[in-house]
Amino acid sequence: MSQLSITAKRAGWRFASSLPALFGVLVFTFLLMRVLPGDPAVFFASGPTAGKEEIETIRKQMGLDKPVPEQLLRYLGDIGTGNLGRSLTTGQPVLSDLKSRLPASLELTFSALLIALVTAVPLGVAAALRQGSGIDHIVRFICALGVCVPTFVSGLLLIYVFYYLLGFAPDPTGRVDIFTSPPPLVTGFLLIDFALAGDWEGWRAAASQLVLPAFTMALFVVAPLARITRAAMLASLGSDFVRTARSLGLSRRKVIVTYALRNALLPVLTIAGIVFSTMLGANVLVEKVFSWPGVASYALDALLSSDYAPVQGFVLLMASIFVLVNLTVDVLYGIADPRVSVE
Amino acid sequence: MTIVRTGWLAAALLTSTALLASPALAQTRAETLRHVTGAAINTLDPNIPGSTREAFGLSLLTYDRLLSFGRKQINGKWVFDLDSIRGELAESYTVSPDGLKISFNLRKDAKFHDGTPVTAEDVKWSLDREVSANVLGKGQLLTGSLTSPDQFKIIDAHTFEVTLPKPDKLALANLAVVYPVIINSKLAKSHATAEDPWALNWLKDNTAGSGAYIIESYKPGETTILRRNPDWNRGSADKPASFKRIITQTVPEAATRANLVEKGDADIVIDLQATDAADLEKKGKLKVVSTPQYNSITFVSFNNQMPPFDKIEVRRAIAAALPYDDMFKAALFGRGAPLYGASWPDGKAPTGEVFPIPQPLKTDLAEAKKQLAAAGLPDGFSTTFSFNVGQAGTAEPMAALLKESLGKVGIKVDIQKLPDAQMSTLINEKKLPFFTEGIVAWLPSMDYFYRNFYIGPIRWNYASLDDAKITEWAQAARFEADKAKYAALGKDLNTRHFELMPQIPLWQPAQDAVMASSIDGYVYQFHRQIDFRDLSRK
């Protein structure tokens, strides 16, 4: 019980201490957007008859007719009431846009991370066990390829091969085949919602739609995960406790899995947390290539058209997720290695 | 070792996709038209500032207007016809002999989507909204002398009258563009508030129309699904539209759009890269309708108020130094209609009814040097040439060729690639010296081009031209009812345009509509979107 309360206290303190950072992000993004060149009102008033009057209307609508400090105060007040403003690109409130798009990004990122972990950990372990051998080189080569091929290249390549040439994959647009009716909205995660509705046909459609983008994304992050696994595994294989375990005559399997791998997983966990947060934002190209209705492509569109509200909303969302992920990793870390939480 | 990698990947993907591949839903597909596009629909009311072109296209399907454009053929391609205007909600219309009164007989059988009949009262409320509320239609209708609710009069439930202060050639045409949609006024009013008497907020996310299609689902930035309105009979031979369902889906990646239509998963797409369109045309499996956009122009423009471009000789030097053919091929793969290379033996424009017309321009470096010397700049000068990122696909190769060619006559060009919002801002503030832009006129009449793109301090006057003669003639042409006099004014305008060279019209890019070979009836429309009411499957 005391272990749990220590963890909770720690988590609470960590969360509270990240609030100033979130506030800083908020203000910084706000100012940054206003410093960037380009007047959104002029951009959006680009209709064939757009004149001064229309530009003024849009400026007023976006609240840009007020001085910047006042805009900032208003913005902070709005955020306090949960209003993130309205996107001119989609015409919808930013909050509802993000709400409807976040599950898409999360589902893709979780799947990709799962694929990446399942692939990278065994690869890293294999490379560490046979250091300097052919396997090690192959793993290194795969990692190099994964990192140096940009996601939009690998994405387009996968589409070309598996959709265009071979015809195995469904058409690479969106989260589910356009002719499949979506499940009743519960979590926003299609795989979960379809399963809850008992619609397995729909579930298959959604899952098959997910395969290519998730693989594209996974390819990109296999490298850091595999390299960290390899390094951590090497460190742990060379450490005293493994030598001791070996000298006790324990089976090779027990030594590797229980003693070496369990300890090696700690840094992998940390990296997985970081990788997860960066993936959410770095998804943008994958989301573009696969017409995935996620938050990253949404933010990019908004940024290109100087649509302030969605960009600010997106950055705030990302910062919050980063804080949450770090918190989760911290807590997990504490559970995995009790020494960490004794502070 | 690549083989190892792809093998591993292929095996994993093969098992997963083979397991998961869903059965084709052939039946629904036959009655459905699937359209993929790079852009997004962001409002259901085309009048909201910031509406995208996709939103304009949608409004043509969900709403009716009083009138609509007919079609004509140019070089074998169907395009909209500004001069043939027919009734949509109006069964017929008559214009009084002095051209000041237009009276409309409304269809008696027309119904809104909720079943209530369309009456003159709805027409009045909708047009009042266009000229009173803060909507895009206000600025547009102004170009047809429609400015005040006093001009709109209900005669009886199915007769409606519009009064004009002066006979205006574009009054009728303005009632056929995307803005003056006829709204179910009772429904809209029930959602209006004291601050929003014209229900702008509600209509943004809801439709209250009588059009050929009803919104089934609308996810901004993703998909819009439309269901056919079985009661709609304003189509050809008074029939409802041909397709039962229309799906418009946003697919940002151009290569994917090309793949989708080639594989037969999408039925039609109009915004492919020129290379993809050319490639698909060559393969011959699909129908490719490539129509030069006869209401648009791509320019190389200069700020005529800014040195050294305030000198005619400098503008003429650049016009003589551009590598037209190479630019046309590199930017558009020759897909479109060139506006250079004409010959005007007497130095006068050959025609005055239309603009743009091909200019007598060709690459002539010796001439360019001569003009530069005459401008007092024999050694050339340095400048920046700007284009926006959104047009990089065509503008980048074009800019590179321009830079190379102008370098040969001593003009040193820095290429500046600007984000779209920044480019719009700089253009609006008239701060760019030398750049490329494209324009589109919904109502491509000669005087409309001159009035909207060559007069006054407005943003669309890219060249910042301020020429007394052009201003005077263009304004006079607007109300000139005599065809011969109109053509004479146009001839003067076209000749003067060439002499002043305020900007250099390069070409009219093609709109490449790539569709399944079974799709029939495509017409190039003024708003450069597909009017799905035209289409059917053979």
Side-chain angles (χ1 to χ4, degrees):
Chain A
M1 205 57 205
S2 72
Q3 174 65 41
L4 198 69
S5 71
I6 289 172
T7 313
K9 204 173 154 193
R10 188 181 152 75
W13 194 83
R14 280 290 314 252
F15 184 72
S17 65
S18 54
L19 285 179
L22 278 183
F23 181 78
V25 166
L26 209 67
V27 174
F28 179 72
T29 324
F30 179 88
L31 294 177
L32 187 69
M33 282 309 285
R34 268 134 192 98
V35 174
L36 286 179
D39 181 346
V42 177
F43 178 75
F44 283 103
S46 58
T49 53
K52 282 220 164 59
E53 204 177 322
E54 195 197 323
I55 295 173
E56 276 317 306
T57 311
I58 293 189
R59 196 164 278 146
K60 219 170 180 176
Q61 206 179 316
M62 294 179 82
L64 297 176
D65 50 339
K66 312 243 162 35
V68 172
E70 193 186 333
Q71 284 181 42
L72 180 59
L73 281 182
R74 274 167 187 270
Y75 177 63
L76 291 177
D78 280 348
I79 297 254
T81 60
N83 174 13
L84 295 182
R86 190 175 264 273
S87 156
L88 280 176
T89 326
T90 63
Q92 302 299 307
V94 171
L95 194 65
S96 71
D97 270 346
L98 289 178
K99 235 191 241 165
S100 71
R101 284 165 168 268
L102 184 62
S105 287
L106 286 179
E107 192 171 34
L108 174 61
T109 310
F110 275 128
S111 317
L113 190 63
L114 191 73
I115 296 174
L117 280 175
V118 166
T119 329
V121 172
L123 279 180
V125 171
L129 290 179
R130 303 247 189 289
Q131 197 191 356
S133 72
I135 292 182
D136 194 11
H137 287 299
I138 292 172
V139 170
R140 190 170 295 143
F141 183 73
I142 292 175
C143 290
L145 262 188
V147 175
C148 69
V149 178
T151 45
F152 70 92
V153 174
S154 46
L156 284 176
L157 209 69
L158 288 180
I159 290 177
Y160 182 71
V161 174
F162 291 99
Y163 168 66
Y164 182 79
L165 285 184
L166 299 175
F168 291 140
D171 68 65
T173 55
R175 301 174 70 191
V176 67
D177 182 279
I178 194 95
F179 293 93
T180 307
S181 42
L185 185 82
V186 185
T187 58
F189 288 79
L190 283 186
L191 292 182
I192 297 176
D193 286 1
F194 270 125
L196 287 179
D199 179 357
W200 298 106
E201 186 110 342
W203 193 89
R204 274 174 25 152
S208 58
Q209 208 74 14
L210 189 61
V211 171
L212 285 192
F215 262 91
T216 309
M217 206 57 222
L219 257 184
F220 187 59
V221 292
V222 155
L225 292 174
R227 300 301 296 165
I228 286 290
T229 312
R230 179 181 176 275
M233 205 52 195
L234 278 178
S236 129
L237 282 174
S239 62
D240 294 346
F241 57 86
V242 168
R243 197 183 54 200
T244 312
R246 274 206 188 110
S247 66
L248 285 174
L250 293 175
S251 72
R252 180 176 156 78
R253 194 189 143 81
K254 184 146 184 131
V255 171
I256 292 172
V257 176
T258 317
Y259 287 83
L261 184 59
R262 194 174 164 203
N263 281 289
L265 280 182
L266 283 174
V268 176
L269 190 66
T270 320
I271 293 294
I274 294 172
V275 161
F276 176 81
S277 326
T278 45
M279 266 164 98
L280 257 186
N283 260 346
V284 56
L285 292 171
V286 177
E287 287 184 2
K288 278 273 168 227
V289 168
F290 290 93
S291 313
W292 201 260
V295 282
S297 64
Y298 171 71
L300 182 74
D301 287 342
L303 186 65
L304 285 178
S305 47
S306 292
D307 194 355
Y308 294 163
V311 178
Q312 287 161 193
F314 172 77
V315 175
L316 182 63
L317 176 74
M318 283 299 122
S320 315
I321 288 179
F322 208 84
V323 165
L324 277 182
V325 168
N326 278 345
L327 200 67
T328 316
V329 169
D330 255 22
V331 171
L332 287 180
Y333 219 102
I335 291 168
D337 185 350
R339 282 172 303 172
V340 177
S341 37
V342 190
E343 270 177 31
Chain B
M1 275 189 272
T2 1
I3 298 159
V4 175
R5 175 173 173 262
T6 35
W8 157 77
L9 214 135
L13 277 170
L14 268 176
T15 35
S16 39
T17 47
L19 274 173
L20 296 164
S22 53
L25 300 149
Q27 274 186 338
T28 35
R29 295 213 176 199
E31 311 170 316
T32 302
L33 183 87
R34 184 173 173 202
H35 163 230
V36 286
T37 168
I41 295 168
N42 61 352
T43 156
L44 298 182
D45 179 353
N47 283 292
I48 305 294
S51 305
T52 56
R53 277 204 278 141
E54 261 56 29
F56 295 154
L58 181 74
S59 92
L60 226 59
L61 304 177
T62 50
Y63 284 101
D64 284 325
R65 277 134 288 261
L66 283 175
L67 304 168
S68 60
F69 294 117
R71 58 175 196 172
K72 64 179 175 188
Q73 271 186 313
I74 295 183
N75 298 329
K77 306 283 165 58
W78 286 108
V79 299
F80 73 98
D81 184 2
L82 188 62
D83 301 316
S84 117
I85 291 175
R86 59 185 185 194
E88 193 161 283
L89 272 179
E91 203 165 50
S92 61
Y93 64 90
T94 47
V95 183
S96 65
D98 59 2
L100 293 180
K101 269 195 173 32
I102 312 166
S103 81
F104 297 92
N105 296 307
L106 303 180
R107 277 178 179 269
K108 294 193 176 64
D109 57 354
K111 284 192 181 69
F112 287 113
H113 292 162
D114 67 356
T116 52
V118 181
T119 65
E121 203 182 316
D122 298 301
V123 176
K124 163 89 176 146
W125 188 82
S126 307
L127 293 186
D128 285 356
R129 178 178 188 261
E130 286 304 304
V131 297
S132 320
N134 230 328
V135 294
L136 295 179
K138 197 176 181 179
Q140 175 68 36
L141 262 50
L142 191 78
T143 67
S145 301
L146 300 165
T147 53
S148 148
D150 304 339
Q151 292 172 269
F152 310 126
K153 201 165 133 198
I154 302 172
I155 305 293
D156 62 47
H158 293 101
T159 320
F160 184 74
E161 195 178 80
V162 173
T163 316
L164 299 172
K166 266 183 174 185
D168 192 316
K169 278 191 287 295
L170 293 181
L172 284 173
N174 260 300
L175 292 174
V177 299
V178 304
Y179 297 135
V181 292
I182 305 305
I183 300 165
N184 185 340
S185 62
K186 276 190 209 79
L187 186 58
K189 273 191 246 172
S190 72
H191 293 277
T193 59
E195 308 90 77
D196 181 19
W198 299 106
L200 295 174
N201 281 327
W202 185 74
L203 285 167
K204 204 171 167 176
D205 301 313
N206 298 277
T207 48
S210 56
Y213 286 92
I214 301 167
I215 304 268
E216 195 174 284
S217 85
Y218 166 52
K219 288 192 212 156
E222 294 178 46
T223 46
T224 305
I225 301 179
L226 301 169
R227 173 162 49 88
R228 178 170 68 187
N229 173 7
D231 299 328
W232 189 83
N233 56 0
R234 270 74 83 193
S236 57
D238 279 357
K239 277 198 300 234
S242 172
F243 284 99
K244 271 198 178 163
R245 279 170 97 215
I246 306 254
I247 297 176
T248 288
Q249 191 180 11
T250 303
V251 175
E253 185 60 45
T256 306
R257 292 198 291 276
N259 282 344
L260 284 170
V261 68
E262 189 180 354
K263 292 283 284 181
D265 282 328
D267 293 301
I268 189 164
V269 54
I270 53 170
D271 51 356
L272 293 182
Q273 285 165 340
T275 35
D276 287 338
D279 196 37
L280 290 174
E281 191 168 32
K282 215 184 294 160
K283 285 186 184 160
K285 253 174 38 194
L286 299 168
K287 192 189 266 183
V288 179
V289 182
S290 179
T291 322
Q293 304 179 13
Y294 87 98
N295 57 336
S296 87
I297 313 172
T298 303
F299 290 110
V300 161
S301 193
F302 345 84
N303 186 333
N304 286 229
Q305 311 293 333
M306 206 186 265
F309 301 107
D310 53 347
K311 291 200 177 88
I312 287 192
E313 293 85 358
V314 171
R315 305 199 291 265
R316 299 195 135 260
I318 288 173
L322 291 183
Y324 295 98
D325 267 325
D326 293 345
M327 291 193 335
F328 189 42
K329 282 195 193 105
L332 294 182
F333 297 86
R335 301 181 79 82
L339 291 174
Y340 54 84
S343 93
W344 296 2
D346 56 353
K348 291 242 184 296
T351 172
E353 289 93 353
V354 289
F355 180 83
I357 52 168
Q359 311 275 309
L361 287 170
K362 59 180 191 323
T363 320
D364 182 350
L365 296 182
E367 170 70 16
K369 279 185 188 144
K370 214 170 87 192
Q371 294 285 353
L372 275 180
L377 294 162
D379 302 325
F381 57 92
S382 299
T383 185
T384 51
F385 181 75
S386 318
F387 61 86
N388 71 32
V389 178
Q391 289 170 357
T394 53
E396 201 144 36
M398 180 182 132
L401 288 164
L402 172 141
K403 175 180 174 146
E404 188 197 351
S405 196
L406 291 185
K408 288 181 194 158
V409 295
I411 303 175
K412 209 181 143 285
V413 179
D414 249 352
I415 295 175
Q416 193 182 31
K417 195 163 145 183
L418 296 170
D420 298 20
Q422 199 182 345
M423 179 100 176
S424 322
T425 309
L426 289 171
I427 284 181
N428 194 46
E429 290 166 0
K430 308 273 175 207
K431 281 188 181 150
L432 290 180
F434 186 33
F435 57 97
T436 176
E437 257 299 342
I439 58 156
V440 183
W442 280 358
L443 308 174
S445 75
M446 180 275 295
D447 66 295
Y448 187 87
F449 270 108
Y450 280 105
R451 285 188 288 119
N452 285 292
F453 301 107
Y454 290 101
I455 289 183
I458 57 166
R459 160 187 187 181
W460 310 119
N461 183 357
Y462 290 125
S464 302
L465 181 69
D466 181 18
D467 181 65
K469 281 185 178 158
I470 285 199
T471 309
E472 187 200 321
W473 292 338
Q475 299 292 20
R478 176 179 188 183
F479 298 108
E480 184 51 72
D482 185 326
K483 280 206 165 123
K485 282 186 192 157
Y486 182 79
L489 279 169
K491 203 166 163 151
D492 288 343
L493 277 165
N494 287 347
T495 307
R496 180 107 183 125
H497 180 279
F498 178 67
E499 282 165 8
L500 291 177
M501 196 62 66
Q503 50 191 353
I504 311 165
L506 293 176
W507 51 67
Q508 298 178 304
Q511 169 116 290
D512 289 311
V514 180
M515 60 197 97
S517 52
S518 58
I519 307 284
D520 220 10
Y522 173 79
V523 178
Y524 172 73
Q525 291 291 351
F526 63 99
H527 58 320
R528 297 186 297 156
Q529 291 292 304
I530 307 162
D531 190 339
F532 295 101
R533 301 174 302 179
D534 298 333
L535 300 182
S536 60
R537 208 191 289 274
K538 271 188 288 197

